[in-house]
Amino acid sequence: MYKFIAFFWLWVPGFSSAQSANPLLTPYEIHKTNYTATYEECKNWYHKADSAFETVKVLDYDLTDGGHPLQLAVYAADKDFSAASLHQKNKRIVLIMNAIHPGEPEGVDASMLLLRDMATQKEWIPVLKNVVVLIIPQYNIEGVINRGSFSRANQDGPESYGFRGNGENLDLNRDFIKCDSKNTRAFEKLFTEWKPDVFIDNHTSDGADYQYTLTYITNMPGSLPKELNDFVNKRMIPAIDKRCTSDGFEMIPYVESFKETPDSGITGFAATPRYSMGYAGLYNTIAYTVETHMLKPFDLRLKATYSFMKACINEVYQNDEKISLLRKNAFQASKNATNLTVQSKMDTAKYDLIHFKGYEAGHKTSQVTGMPRLYYDRTKPYDKTIRYYNYFEPVVNIKIPKYYIVPQSCWRAVELLKLNTIEMTRLQNDSTFNLEMYQIAGYDNTPGKTPSNGHYQHHNVQLKTNVQKITFHKGDYFVSTNQDGANYIIQTLEPQGEDSYFSWNLFDGFLQQREYFSDYVFEDIAFNYLQANPDIAAALEKEKKADPIFAADARKQIDWVYRHSRYFEKSYMRYPIGRVMGE
Ligand SMILES: [Zn+2]
């Protein structure tokens, strides 16, 4: 277990003498441990840290939904706080995010202790020589300010904490593609500027009971190139686990039971790009979500979070050159790729066997409902081998185009691409191309149901492809897939992508027909049209023979002719973004 401040004043690098009377205790320490910092306390503490340590700088990024700047604390041993310059020096960059879910705040307070320890403890000197640590003290600031003591009904402390929803009651950890929140926009600016090697997002779990305090999620299988993925899972995770275990925090993958309880097996988490770590993975960033167990006391959860962050930063230091090389290779691989999986699903026929320390579970009669209820018996701990289902198989794999052409009128998409520093060139003149265009052939959404994070997301998108003559205009955007942001571009612009712009409703306008016809007028036009186009007349007859209901419905037949005529609008159900496959 940690003694956080035992060595605090023995050695203080880069500490201005004027500040040395100020011990920089954190609100968690001042309030004796079952306490997480408020927004004001946290902000002020970081400003104090900025003045106290020459190696710490607090930067203000763009304003969040509630008008507060998104803070970023940078720990850089050589006092260089410029992302561009640190990239030039080939430093490894670790980004830590806290309180995207403000009810799960252990990372907030653990990060303050970590920053102070990094600035004051000798053991950190070699580690931080080539590793720069970035901390977002509190991300969902509006949720942090909305403080109470009851919204996390099942959680053991702290005594009060923020609320999961942001100012518009959205879950910000579903917002990384649609970017409804200004917090997300500020984050993506920061993220693409710093291009972190490793990203840690701190949370608290929900769900089953078991012995572990520390659980984690890594990049979704298949989302990183194999070499990098193997490194994340086979090198980094065992090494981090070893360090955390020696601190008293053995780790286990995030526990989502396959059936009712973990002894039925646990399943991997599909961290698609809507989630922070899925988004980070689009940039070949090694991503970890730390999930400490809700039923363990806050103090212990905080120490487990601290232990993970410390272990991870140490492993980044140990593998400095390896990480740099693997990520370089990964970017090169995405530039050279010809195909990409944009949708996958769990393959429950495949699993690994892992050791799991749980509690025996059973059912007894509920005193509330009189019906059977689940309980875990903490007097009966077990150590069993269980199944870990963490294999995903591709559902949609697409052939990567050389370029996409995005009309400037689809300005929301353009804005998000620009926010992600995607390089684009503009069309010099109005130009007509023969292009492979997508036609939306079908999709599911959930009309009448509760929206998901402000949207009715589309799923199971079906496409037809046909080559069409299509005109784009001067100023429209050519987006090459031969750039570092290739994965972001493809996952967002391919409509079948699990979290594509299309799935998040950016192009819903194209799903509606804008013009119709009046039967009595169109009758005559239809007649003349069929006379002039005997192949279409023959197709109509064939359709009537094949379908007796159609053959008995006049309105349907006139509509059929309309849809097969030049009067029917071409933009209906046509995905507006062009794909250039060759030169
Ligand atoms: Zn969470």
Side-chain angles (χ1 to χ4, degrees):
M1 228 44 63
Y2 273 91
K3 285 255 191 311
F4 285 109
I5 53 172
F7 307 106
F8 188 29
W9 296 115
L10 296 183
W11 192 86
V12 190
F15 199 84
S16 328
S17 56
Q19 296 290 332
S20 60
N22 180 356
L24 223 66
L25 289 175
T26 71
Y28 159 82
E29 291 167 317
I30 292 165
H31 289 84
K32 305 279 185 280
T33 73
N34 193 27
Y35 186 89
T36 186
T38 63
Y39 171 60
E40 289 296 327
E41 287 168 339
C42 186
K43 186 178 68 175
N44 294 338
W45 188 91
Y46 274 93
H47 283 143
K48 273 191 216 159
D50 180 316
S51 350
F53 305 118
E54 291 172 356
T55 47
V56 174
K57 187 155 194 72
V58 175
L59 305 172
D60 279 349
Y61 276 80
D62 290 351
L63 297 184
T64 61
D65 294 332
H68 312 281
L70 184 68
Q71 272 191 328
L72 181 75
V74 182
Y75 188 96
D78 64 359
K79 300 161 202 162
D80 177 353
F81 304 103
S82 147
S85 153
L86 291 165
H87 286 142
Q88 204 124 57
K89 295 176 188 166
N90 194 26
K91 302 279 186 190
R92 297 285 68 73
I93 293 171
V94 177
L95 170 63
I96 296 165
M97 157 114 104
N98 297 305
I100 189 169
H101 292 153
E104 307 167 12
E106 40 275 57
V108 170
D109 305 278
S111 294
M112 293 186 203
L113 300 176
L114 179 75
L115 185 74
R116 194 184 64 197
D117 288 350
M118 290 192 305
T120 58
Q121 290 179 355
K122 220 167 185 168
E123 63 170 301
W124 281 100
I125 297 174
V127 178
L128 296 169
K129 236 181 175 146
N130 219 25
V131 182
V132 172
V133 178
L134 313 176
I135 299 170
I136 297 175
Q138 291 170 325
Y139 178 62
N140 176 0
I141 296 169
E142 295 65 37
V144 167
I145 290 169
N146 183 9
R147 200 168 160 109
S149 298
F150 303 105
S151 65
R152 297 282 297 169
N154 301 322
Q155 187 171 293
D156 187 352
E159 61 182 41
S160 60
Y161 43 79
F163 183 66
R164 187 182 186 94
N166 78 337
E168 291 189 299
N169 206 35
L170 298 172
D171 183 337
L172 293 188
N173 203 16
R174 309 289 185 271
D175 198 44
F176 289 91
I177 296 301
K178 60 192 175 74
C179 289
D180 287 334
S181 159
K182 290 184 187 174
N183 303 49
T184 316
R185 288 166 187 253
F187 175 84
E188 293 190 2
K189 195 165 169 185
L190 171 168
F191 190 94
T192 49
E193 178 187 339
W194 285 93
K195 304 179 180 75
D197 297 281
V198 175
F199 172 65
I200 303 172
D201 188 5
N202 289 319
H203 291 248
T204 317
S205 77
D206 292 310
D209 197 6
Y210 42 80
Q211 298 176 43
Y212 305 89
T213 302
L214 185 54
T215 81
Y216 68 90
I217 308 170
T218 67
N219 303 77
M220 185 175 167
S223 65
L224 296 179
K226 187 179 180 315
E227 260 196 309
L228 183 58
N229 183 67
D230 283 352
F231 174 79
V232 171
N233 288 287
K234 294 178 183 164
R235 173 70 190 88
M236 285 288 276
I237 282 293
I240 293 172
D241 184 31
K242 198 170 163 202
R243 288 175 186 271
C244 292
T245 300
S246 76
D247 289 345
F249 299 110
E250 193 183 343
M251 306 195 317
I252 194 80
Y254 181 65
V255 179
E256 184 76 50
S257 301
F258 184 61
K259 289 179 183 160
E260 191 180 27
T261 54
D263 53 358
S264 65
I266 61 173
T267 60
F269 187 86
T272 59
R274 82 187 68 172
Y275 300 99
S276 65
M277 58 185 304
Y279 171 81
L282 295 177
Y283 295 97
N284 295 308
T285 295
I286 297 171
Y288 297 107
T289 295
V290 177
E291 295 268 2
T292 60
H293 189 216
M294 62 179 183
L295 299 179
K296 308 298 189 292
F298 180 66
D299 186 36
L300 200 61
R301 300 198 324 259
L302 176 144
K303 285 168 180 156
T305 306
Y306 180 100
S307 175
F308 186 98
M309 294 191 291
K310 181 178 177 184
C312 185
I313 294 166
N314 272 275
E315 284 307 314
V316 173
Y317 156 64
Q318 293 290 343
N319 295 281
D320 172 9
E321 283 168 19
K322 179 97 181 149
I323 291 173
S324 171
L325 180 69
L326 283 172
R327 290 193 69 236
K328 259 189 205 125
N329 292 347
F331 280 112
Q332 199 50 49
S334 27
K335 285 182 196 170
N336 296 340
T338 54
N339 287 72
L340 188 72
T341 296
V342 296
Q343 213 185 98
S344 53
K345 67 166 195 236
M346 185 172 290
D347 180 354
T348 52
K350 287 189 195 156
Y351 53 83
D352 295 318
L353 292 174
I354 58 167
H355 279 289
F356 184 76
K357 294 178 180 175
Y359 297 117
E360 294 294 345
H363 292 91
K364 58 185 179 186
T365 303
S366 161
Q367 291 177 298
V368 179
T369 67
M371 287 183 273
R373 55 151 286 189
L374 174 69
Y375 74 100
Y376 289 89
D377 187 346
R378 288 197 174 175
T379 65
K380 292 179 184 159
Y382 68 70
D383 187 345
K384 283 182 192 169
T385 300
I386 63 163
R387 291 177 178 187
Y388 177 36
Y389 298 93
N390 195 32
Y391 291 87
F392 291 81
E393 56 175 359
V395 175
V396 178
N397 191 282
I398 61 103
K399 200 166 176 303
I400 301 170
K402 218 167 161 55
Y403 297 95
Y404 291 96
I405 310 179
V406 183
Q408 59 200 311
S409 49
C410 296
W411 61 271
R412 287 180 193 84
V414 170
E415 195 178 73
L416 295 180
L417 291 166
K418 282 185 182 165
L419 178 64
N420 278 272
T421 63
I422 299 302
E423 288 166 27
M424 301 189 274
T425 52
R426 303 191 78 169
L427 212 52
Q428 297 296 314
N429 301 296
D430 288 5
S431 316
T432 301
F433 302 92
N434 266 324
L435 285 187
E436 200 173 274
M437 299 296 292
Y438 284 140
Q439 207 70 30
I440 308 294
Y443 59 93
D444 301 337
N445 64 12
T446 49
K449 291 196 178 164
T450 307
S452 161
N453 291 288
H455 290 255
Y456 291 99
Q457 203 193 353
H458 304 309
H459 302 284
N460 303 321
V461 177
Q462 305 298 319
L463 300 173
K464 276 192 224 153
T465 304
N466 53 27
V467 176
Q468 294 183 20
K469 215 181 247 317
I470 183 151
T471 300
F472 287 93
H473 300 286
K474 182 183 174 188
D476 287 351
Y477 292 88
F478 260 98
V479 188
S480 165
T481 52
N482 184 21
Q483 57 177 302
D484 280 356
N487 288 337
Y488 179 86
I489 295 166
I490 300 161
Q491 295 288 356
T492 55
L493 294 185
E494 283 297 326
Q496 290 181 305
E498 193 75 52
D499 283 323
S500 66
Y501 292 159
F502 177 83
S503 83
W504 284 107
N505 311 110
L506 257 71
F507 300 109
D508 278 8
F510 295 93
L511 300 178
Q512 271 189 307
Q513 200 178 323
R514 295 289 160 228
E515 293 283 7
Y516 294 88
F517 60 94
S518 296
D519 301 36
Y520 75 95
V521 186
F522 196 69
E523 279 280 351
D524 300 328
I525 299 168
F527 176 73
N528 292 333
Y529 191 74
L530 291 177
Q531 294 291 84
N533 295 278
D535 49 329
I536 293 180
L540 175 64
E541 287 312 311
K542 201 174 157 196
E543 195 75 20
K544 276 157 65 175
K545 275 195 189 115
D547 182 353
I549 297 173
F550 179 72
D553 191 327
R555 166 78 201 179
K556 269 192 181 155
Q557 290 175 37
I558 296 295
D559 185 63
W560 188 98
V561 177
Y562 177 71
R563 282 168 189 277
H564 286 79
S565 76
R566 64 186 173 190
Y567 300 100
F568 184 63
E569 63 211 46
K570 290 191 174 64
S571 55
Y572 173 58
M573 292 295 230
R574 182 172 66 196
Y575 184 59
I577 290 171
R579 298 165 82 248
V580 182
M581 302 309 289
E583 294 303 322

